[in-house]
Amino acid sequence: MQFCFQGKCVLDANNRLKLPPLLLMDLAASNNSGRVMLYCLPEGCLGIFPMSEWENLRRLGSSDTDDVLNDAALRRQHRRIGSLSQSEVISNQGRITIPVMFRDLLGLVAGSDVMLVGAEKWVELWSIKAWEQEQQIIAEHEKKRVAADMDADLKSP
């Protein structure tokens, strides 16, 4: 499954997000439960994961269960994931409700435009302002990476 797109949507007055039809079809193809997992990502957006992808990611991260009782950093990581994730049902109208906790953390306001962005294996929901800032960060990073690559190429014999 590859979610590759970006587009503006509106968070309606009831804090629901109407998912685009093509996204709904892709989610349905990978997700027969009608549920998605919402997870507040550290970059300042809300990840919307098909349940199958969420389970795969969690399975990859669960190999450390033997150490969790002895490792405070690992417990904090589990705590962050557990407290900042929540499953949601996609309604028959193709909407999901964005919980208050996530709206407050991300500065999402009912009735406002938001950006829905594909991240290949999941989708991200951004405030317009945060998405513009993220695009600037990405562009600056790419400029620095290209300059470093060119510098390394020039120094190679």
Side-chain angles (χ1 to χ4, degrees):
M1 184 63 41
Q2 288 194 354
F3 300 107
C4 299
F5 67 92
Q6 69 173 309
K8 279 187 184 177
C9 297
V10 175
L11 191 61
D12 74 15
N14 294 319
N15 295 296
R16 296 174 303 193
L17 180 67
K18 174 93 170 108
L19 300 174
L22 288 175
L23 174 57
L24 286 169
M25 287 186 345
D26 287 344
L27 285 170
S30 69
N31 188 16
N32 57 12
S33 70
R35 298 183 78 79
V36 291
M37 183 61 77
L38 305 179
Y39 175 56
C40 191
L41 292 161
E43 294 89 345
C45 65
L46 185 65
I48 303 170
F49 294 82
M51 289 305 283
S52 58
E53 184 61 32
W54 180 258
E55 290 166 5
N56 287 340
L57 292 170
R58 294 301 301 139
R59 203 173 7 260
L60 290 173
S62 67
S63 62
D64 50 27
T65 54
D66 293 338
D67 297 329
V68 75
L69 295 177
N70 299 316
D71 188 337
L74 193 54
R75 285 194 303 276
R76 283 191 177 103
Q77 179 181 358
H78 282 274
R79 194 174 297 127
R80 182 190 197 298
I81 292 169
S83 66
L84 294 177
S85 59
Q86 179 176 324
S87 68
E88 270 303 313
V89 175
I90 300 172
S91 74
N92 291 335
Q93 296 79 28
R95 298 183 294 213
I96 56 172
T97 301
I98 308 302
V100 173
M101 174 182 66
F102 297 138
R103 293 191 315 260
D104 290 348
L105 282 170
L106 302 172
L108 302 175
V109 178
S112 66
D113 285 340
V114 293
M115 286 299 295
L116 206 53
V117 177
E120 294 190 8
K121 295 189 179 221
W122 63 86
V123 177
E124 296 175 345
L125 177 64
W126 294 81
S127 72
I128 298 294
K129 181 180 177 183
W131 177 240
E132 289 169 352
Q133 291 171 342
E134 179 68 6
Q135 286 181 301
Q136 288 176 343
I137 290 168
I138 291 169
E140 286 300 315
H141 174 77
E142 283 299 305
K143 285 180 190 175
K144 289 177 183 176
R145 187 184 61 77
V146 168
D149 287 349
M150 286 176 56
D151 189 44
D153 286 348
L154 293 172
K155 289 181 181 177
S156 297

